[in-house]
Amino acid sequence: MAQFAVKDSNLTAGVEAIDRAHLARMTFGEAALERELLELFDRQAGILVDRMHASDGATVAELAHTLKGSAVGVGAGEVAEAAIAVEQAPTPERLVALGRSVERARAAIARILR
């Protein structure tokens, strides 16, 4: 299985919100599977961020961990980085940054799925 490393915020600077090459590797180039994974991630990301806004710190960290794993799977590096930051320290500022990253990824997914 391909590895999608996320180490620091400089890795995704100027990079697309969804790494299409990574996604293709994860799905063995199957377009239908790519579409399904992107649709699932799109729904899940929205739900998880909404839940984070209504949860306590420990729950926010757990939800961020879940989102991080999903983001890595579809090549959403910026979301994964932001989720790692929230997981480590679930502050309001980090949660806002995660929300922005998710919005960018969801917009990219909408463009891809058109």
Side-chain angles (χ1 to χ4, degrees), residues 1-4 6 15-27 33-45 66-80 101-102 105-106 108-109 112-113:
M1 182 178 285
Q3 185 85 15
F4 187 79
V6 179
V15 175
E16 286 295 320
I18 301 294
D19 181 340
R20 299 290 301 273
H22 174 79
L23 181 60
R25 285 190 304 276
M26 296 300 287
T27 60
L33 182 55
E34 282 185 22
R35 183 174 195 80
E36 184 177 348
L37 286 179
L38 289 173
E39 289 170 345
L40 287 170
F41 177 77
D42 181 52
R43 282 192 303 273
Q44 181 189 45
T66 298
L67 182 56
K68 174 187 69 178
S70 296
V72 168
V74 299
E78 182 183 338
V79 173
S101 295
V102 167
R106 292 181 80 192
I109 289 168
I112 293 167
L113 296 178

Side-chain angles (χ1 to χ4, degrees), residues 41-71 78-103 106:
F41 177 77
D42 181 52
R43 282 192 303 273
Q44 181 189 45
I47 290 168
L48 290 175
V49 170
D50 287 346
R51 286 186 182 163
M52 285 182 211
H53 285 292
S55 298
D56 62 35
T59 302
V60 169
E62 289 175 20
L63 295 170
H65 180 79
T66 298
L67 182 56
K68 174 187 69 178
S70 296
E78 182 183 338
V79 173
E81 285 183 10
I84 289 168
V86 170
E87 184 179 13
Q88 293 172 347
T91 66
E93 297 80 17
R94 288 181 176 190
L95 191 52
V96 167
L98 176 58
R100 283 193 212 113
S101 295
V102 167
E103 287 174 14
R106 292 181 80 192

